C-alpha cells in the first residue's frame, strides 16, 4: 500500500454551510481511480467541553439518485405534516443565528 492510502482523500470541491449551532460540510473527493464521491459532515460544538463532534456520511455517485429521492420524499413528508420554518443563519461569535425565512430549497443532485 502506498503512502496515499493512509491519508484522507484530497478534496476536489467543498461547500460549508453554517446553520445555527451546527456546521455542515459537503465535500467532493476522488478515489484512487478518479471517481468522485461525496462526504457529508455535521460538526457541532459540545457546550460542556468545547470539543467539536463530527458525524460523517460517505455517498457514492451510484447512490445519488436513490439518496436524493429518499431525502426529497422525507422532506416533503415533513413539510406536508408540520409547519417548517426554514432559516438562513449568519455566523456570530456567540453562535446564535440571525435568520430570515428561506423558501424553495432544492435538494436535488
Amino acid at each position: 500500500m502506498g503512502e496515499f492510502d493512509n491519508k484522507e482523500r484530497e478534496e476536489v470541491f467543498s461547500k460549508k454551510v453554517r446553520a445555527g449551532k451546527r456546521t455542515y460540510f459537503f465535500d467532493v473527493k476522488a478515489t484512487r481511480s478518479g471517481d468522485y464521491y461525496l462526504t457529508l459532515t455535521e460538526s457541532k460544538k459540545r457546550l460542556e467541553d468545547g470539543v467539536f463532534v463530527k458525524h460523517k456520511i460517505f455517498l457514492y455517485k451510484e447512490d445519488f439518485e436513490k439518496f436524493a429521492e429518499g431525502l426529497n420524499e422525507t422532506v416533503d413528508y415533513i413539510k406536508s405534516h408540520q409547519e417548517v420554518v426554514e432559516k438562513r443563519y449568519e455566523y456570530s461569535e456567540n453562535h446564535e443565528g440571525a435568520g430570515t425565512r428561506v423558501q424553495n430549497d432544492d435538494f436535488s443532485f
Side-chain angles (χ1 to χ4, degrees), residues 34-48:
D35 286 332
Y36 289 167
Y37 64 97
L38 172 65
T39 62
L40 306 173
T41 306
E42 174 205 36
S43 178
K44 184 177 179 183
K45 191 175 189 179
R46 277 195 309 227
L47 295 176
E48 58 270 9

Side-chain angles (χ1 to χ4, degrees), residues 8-24:
E8 178 101 10
R9 300 282 182 210
E10 182 178 346
E11 290 179 8
V12 176
F13 174 84
S14 185
K15 173 71 177 173
K16 180 179 181 179
V17 177
R18 289 192 173 130
K21 296 179 182 181
R22 293 178 180 86
T23 302
Y24 299 97

